[in-house]
Structures are given as structure tokens and as C-alpha cells.
Amino acid sequence: MNFSEVFKLSNQLCKFSPNGKYLASCVQYRLVIRDVSTLQILQLYTCLDQIQYIEWSSDSMFILCAMYKRGLVQVWSLEQPDWHCKIDEGSAGLVSSCWSPDGRHILNTTEFHHFETETQDLTGIAWAPNGCVLAVWDTCLEYKVLLYSLDGRLLSSYCAYEWSLGIKSVAWSPMSQFLAIGSFDEKIRILNHVTWKPIKEFEHPATITNLKTVVYKEVERSAGIRADDFPFTTPRGNPTSLFSNHSKYEIAQVPVSLRTIKPDSDRANPDLGIGLLAFSANNRYLASKNDNMPYCVWIWDIQKMRPFVVLEQTSVVRAFHWDPVQPRLAICTGNNRVYLWSPTGSVSVQVPAEGVFNVLSVSWHPLEQDSLLVMSKDQLCLCYLETEEEEK
């Protein structure tokens, strides 16, 4: 593995363009567009306020910058650097902003809504990947998911229970046939796209007893690790420069008791329930994190509808992201390591940056399987994984 030089970053605001050619990053008021192949700066834009959110259009021709505090959205064009658009929601108050699937319209959610919805307090929206359905969900105080067509018609609604904290996370499957809903009751409900009814519930028990579920436990290790131990291709040069004196995974024998925390019930948003959800690009796996088991990543086999793997880390899981080309998951836990899982095994990799580089977020290149964006609180770098062709 190789790593690029380190660049400045604000609030982990950094995204590859969908066509994979550009990398957008934010440093306070400034939006920086780099060429992915050289990491040279192509464009530098200055926004009217500190940027809080960025998103590329589907064709990579435009990028929006949202400044929620001022109710502003600015849109920049890569083809026409002198052109830009400003959307000012003013007193309506801006809650979220996103592109429509065609990349030519922007959907702003304001405190007075985008169109009227049957929610008490709209909390989140998510387009289906096929662009045909918009999912919106209510505040965590009420369990309600609403499915709308593009013209604003209500297609269906779903409520699993009442009088308790409700929805915490939502994720579409890549082919739009499943909608996964993570809830405060520590369950995932899988809805199908025909009836919009649940076809499966996934629970997150504190003890793993299923012999078909593989449990990986991260353990600290001070000795060097042989390159032959890894299920992935070895790094260029001396492997001990990256892999010694760090950590590795061991397979635990079931039954296994997982580490849990007791959530503070007095908090408005307690550490309880499914805080993270993501489908793999091939639709085979679903990854999840139950916030009162913060050290664990669960991987579910969607074909067989059962738990497949649990990875228990030594630190709290901060984020994970699926490789868009193959079923491979990158995980970070706020230390200087990146963790990779695939059906062939798991591995821990150190980021060899000078000074402190605690990884808080990761993102794969959208087209190539050998580039991984790694972000700390105020820095970014690219990790390049060696391919088999390069080894030969």
C-alpha cells in the first residue's frame, strides 16, 4: 500500500466526483477541486460562509455547497468556472440540500418543508438509486417512513411501533428493491419495493450463538506480522513498516459475548439502536452498527437473510464504507488505522502520516478498487492498494 501526501480539510467535507475524475474538499469558506490522478488543484472557489455540506451532481458537472446557518446554497460548474448559482431560503430556514437523480434539480428541505409531508417533524430524506421513489422519515419521537413518487404522491407509509423512540437510520439497496430501516429498538427492518412491507427483521443480540456467524476480534499486537498472514495483497516495499506493532484480528469461538454500553436514558438521542447502515454494491451484504454495541460492525448476508460476520474492534466504530466495485468494507475507529473486511478475511492497516492522524471517515473511489480516501478531523490523504497486476 502507498499513501499520498496529507492535505488540509474542514469537518471531513471531502468527496470523489461520481465519474471518479475529481476530488472536492473544503477548508472553511473555500472549496478545492483536485484532479484525482495527480492531486493537483484544478479550481478554487470561495463561498459566502463556512461550508457545512457538499454534494456532486450525478454527471459530475456541478457541485453544491450548503451553508445551513445562513440558509444558503451555492452551486458551481466545472465546465464554466465563472458561472455559479445562489439559492437563498431566507427566513424559511435550510435543513438539508441534495441533488435530484438527474443532476439538474436541487431539493432543499426547509423548516417549512419542500412540499408538504405527513410528518410531525421531517428529519431525513433519501432518493432510491433508481430515482423513482423518495423516502422521508419523521423525528425519532415518532416511527414513520413515507414513500413518495417524483410528483409528490404518497405511495405508502410504514410504522413498526408507537409510543417509543423510532427511526435512527435508513438505507436503500443499490437496485432499489429493499429499504433498510434501523431503529432505536436495536432492530433492522427490511422493506420490499412491491408492497413496502417488512420481509425480515435483524436483531443485534449481545451474545453470538449461531455457529454460522464468524466473529473477528481485534487484538493489540507488538510483534511483526508476516505478509503471508494477510488475505489482501501485500504493500510495496517492507511490509513491517506499516503492519508491525499494531493490531490484528483473531477468530473467536462461539458463543461470544460482545462488549456493550449502558445508554443514558436521560439524553435526547441516547447511544442506543442502529446508527449506521449500508448495503454492499453487489447487494449481497448489509453492514450495520448498533450504538449500544459501539465496538462492533455487523455484516448480514442479504441472500440468506442471516448474520454473516461480526467484527469487534478495540475502539468505538466511527464510520464504514463499502467498496463500489467489490464486496469489501473499510472501517475506521478514530485511531491511526484503517480496517478492511472482505469475504476472504480482515486486516488492519496503519496510516503512516507524520504527527497525529486519527481516522474519522473513509470513502472508496467510485470506479477504481485501489483508491481509498482517508479523513481525520482536519486532514485527508489517499490510500492506494496494490493490485495483482502491479505485483506481477
Side-chain angles (χ1 to χ4, degrees):
M1 292 181 185
N2 279 347
F3 288 82
S4 72
E5 64 178 294
V6 174
F7 300 100
K8 290 184 178 180
L9 182 66
S10 295
N11 301 320
Q12 301 163 52
L13 291 175
C14 187
K15 290 185 178 181
F16 289 111
S17 61
N19 65 8
K21 294 181 180 180
Y22 311 113
L23 182 67
S25 60
C26 298
V27 182
Q28 295 183 340
Y29 292 72
R30 293 188 174 184
L31 174 67
V32 182
I33 308 296
R34 298 180 185 274
D35 183 308
V36 167
S37 60
T38 65
L39 293 181
Q40 296 298 309
I41 296 177
L42 299 178
Q43 299 291 343
L44 183 64
Y45 303 107
T46 301
C47 292
L48 296 173
D49 204 338
Q50 185 160 338
I51 305 166
Q52 294 175 274
Y53 178 74
I54 61 172
E55 184 176 313
W56 287 94
S57 61
S58 57
D59 59 2
S60 304
M61 302 301 294
F62 300 92
I63 185 169
L64 70 79
C65 300
M67 292 146 276
Y68 297 133
K69 293 179 181 179
R70 289 186 55 178
L72 288 175
V73 174
Q74 286 185 270
V75 184
W76 307 93
S77 168
L78 265 67
E79 278 195 336
Q80 300 174 316
D82 295 331
W83 178 94
H84 78 279
C85 167
K86 183 178 77 169
I87 305 171
D88 190 346
E89 295 293 350
S91 60
L94 186 63
V95 176
S96 68
S97 184
C98 68
W99 287 100
S100 62
D102 64 3
R104 288 299 176 268
H105 301 84
I106 292 174
L107 178 61
N108 283 343
T109 304
T110 69
E111 293 179 357
F112 298 108
H113 309 308
H114 50 291
F115 51 82
E116 192 65 30
T117 62
E118 297 181 15
T119 57
Q120 296 294 324
D121 185 7
L122 188 150
T123 296
I125 61 175
W127 287 104
N130 62 12
C132 294
V133 180
L134 180 67
V136 304
W137 55 98
D138 217 327
T139 170
C140 65
L141 298 178
E142 182 171 353
Y143 196 118
K144 183 184 288 186
V145 178
L146 304 170
L147 291 309
Y148 287 94
S149 63
L150 296 185
D151 60 4
R153 288 182 297 112
L154 179 62
L155 301 175
S156 185
S157 64
Y158 174 69
C159 175
Y161 53 82
E162 295 179 328
W163 316 117
S164 186
L165 291 177
I167 297 168
K168 195 165 191 178
S169 56
V170 173
W172 285 99
S173 65
M175 302 301 292
S176 305
Q177 73 270 47
F178 299 128
L179 182 66
I181 305 172
S183 310
F184 279 88
D185 66 351
E186 305 178 53
K187 295 180 182 179
I188 301 171
R189 292 168 175 87
I190 307 295
L191 274 57
N192 73 84
H193 73 294
V194 178
T195 66
W196 301 114
K197 302 298 182 184
I199 59 173
K200 187 68 176 181
E201 287 188 0
F202 292 144
E203 298 184 356
H204 295 68
T207 302
I208 304 298
T209 58
N210 191 332
L211 295 176
K212 295 182 179 180
T213 303
V214 179
V215 180
Y216 289 97
K217 282 182 173 283
E218 181 191 5
V219 294
E220 298 295 333
R221 182 183 176 98
S222 59
I225 305 174
R226 297 182 299 112
D228 294 339
D229 292 339
F230 296 110
F232 297 96
T233 54
T234 57
R236 297 185 180 94
N238 181 9
T240 60
S241 63
L242 291 181
F243 294 100
S244 61
N245 302 316
H246 298 109
S247 69
K248 70 167 188 174
Y249 285 107
E250 291 181 349
I251 297 179
Q253 299 297 317
V254 293
V256 180
S257 295
L258 303 175
R259 297 170 66 188
T260 62
I261 62 172
K262 185 177 181 180
D264 185 357
S265 58
D266 294 331
R267 289 183 56 187
N269 189 10
D271 292 326
L272 175 70
I274 313 306
L276 296 175
L277 275 178
F279 282 92
S280 63
N282 65 354
N283 205 44
R284 177 66 188 270
Y285 303 106
L286 173 67
S288 67
K289 175 195 172 187
N290 184 10
D291 287 345
N292 53 304
M293 298 178 185
Y295 304 95
C296 297
V297 175
W298 299 66
I299 299 175
W300 308 84
D301 187 326
I302 295 301
Q303 288 186 1
K304 299 179 180 179
M305 289 292 176
R306 66 172 180 85
F308 185 58
V309 167
V310 178
L311 298 99
E312 186 175 70
Q313 308 295 138
T314 58
S315 301
V316 172
V317 174
R318 299 298 185 96
F320 50 67
H321 192 249
W322 285 104
D323 185 331
V325 179
Q326 59 177 299
R328 178 169 52 179
L329 188 69
I331 304 166
C332 60
T333 63
N335 55 25
N336 64 344
R337 303 168 195 150
V338 175
Y339 304 88
L340 302 176
W341 173 87
S342 81
T344 60
S346 302
V347 68
S348 166
V349 183
Q350 184 194 8
V351 180
E354 294 184 5
V356 178
F357 195 109
N358 293 328
V359 184
L360 300 178
S361 184
V362 289
S363 179
W364 292 95
H365 189 281
L367 301 177
E368 300 174 3
Q369 59 182 2
D370 61 349
S371 299
L372 179 68
L373 173 63
V374 181
M375 292 167 277
S376 69
K377 181 180 179 181
D378 52 12
Q379 293 179 314
L380 72 93
C381 70
L382 289 183
C383 170
Y384 303 101
L385 281 73
E386 195 169 76
T387 63
E388 293 182 0
E389 288 77 12
E390 288 175 328
E391 281 188 319
K392 296 176 183 178

